[in-house]
Amino acid sequence: MITAAALPAAARRSSDLSKHSAEVFAEAEDHPVTVTRRDGEALVLMSQREAEGRSRLLNFAAQLITVTLDESGSLAERMAKAFPWMLALSPADRETCAQDLVDAARASFSTDQPHLAIAELTSWKETAITIAAGLGSADLEWLDDDETVERP
């Protein structure tokens, strides 16, 4: 298994940043770019989306650490203390949610892909919000694949 630390990092010289800034900026939109300098420590250039994703993942990690340090109750009960929106889920869904969040966090940390955990967290939270709003029990009418629906 390749870990995030084993992946090659994109590196550019500071002169590339001044001579080919558009190219370096375009690359930084896709992934962080390390800008090496002769006169100082290397800098990392990344999109704000990337920086915010990493920040959200670290915040999530801090919450998970708090949950693991608490020794009272099941994982789902401890997670519901940190994430009160989980109380809108059924007990079985809370158990599933707790395990899914831990699994997604492990995947995010091991692959350096913050979006994996953040997407799972957002998905479960939106599900809980929908259930709390009373929309989770609505009867749905599914349309057949071959039925054409006109624009409203």
Side-chain angles (χ1 to χ4, degrees):
M1 179 171 119
I2 297 176
T3 62
L7 295 174
R12 297 293 202 121
R13 296 184 306 257
S14 60
S15 60
D16 290 339
L17 188 56
S18 60
K19 293 177 186 174
H20 311 286
S21 60
E23 184 179 312
V24 175
F25 289 147
E27 190 175 345
E29 286 183 16
D30 292 333
H31 52 79
V33 176
T34 301
V35 179
T36 58
R37 306 180 308 161
R38 285 184 284 164
D39 60 344
E41 188 175 354
L43 303 173
V44 177
L45 180 64
M46 67 179 71
S47 68
Q48 184 164 351
R49 173 185 40 80
E50 179 80 25
E52 288 173 355
R54 288 171 184 243
S55 177
R56 289 178 69 192
L57 183 60
L58 284 174
N59 184 34
F60 182 49
Q63 291 172 307
L64 284 180
I65 290 169
T66 301
V67 166
T68 60
L69 294 176
D70 184 0
E71 296 178 359
S72 61
S74 69
L75 175 63
E77 292 168 342
R78 296 187 321 253
M79 294 275 286
K81 287 180 189 175
F83 306 105
W85 50 261
M86 286 180 65
L87 296 172
L89 302 172
S90 70
D93 282 346
R94 272 184 240 145
E95 293 289 336
T96 303
C97 173
Q99 191 59 56
D100 286 356
L101 292 177
V102 169
D103 292 345
R106 292 178 67 203
S108 283
F109 295 129
S110 66
T111 62
D112 197 27
Q113 300 294 316
H115 68 277
L116 299 174
I118 300 306
E120 192 71 28
L121 180 66
T122 302
S123 177
W124 274 108
K125 185 175 181 180
E126 293 296 325
T127 298
I129 290 169
T130 300
I131 291 169
L135 301 175
S137 61
D139 289 334
L140 301 176
E141 181 182 334
W142 294 97
L143 300 176
D144 294 329
D145 289 341
D146 58 356
E147 187 174 335
T148 303
V149 179
E150 294 183 30
R151 278 182 76 92

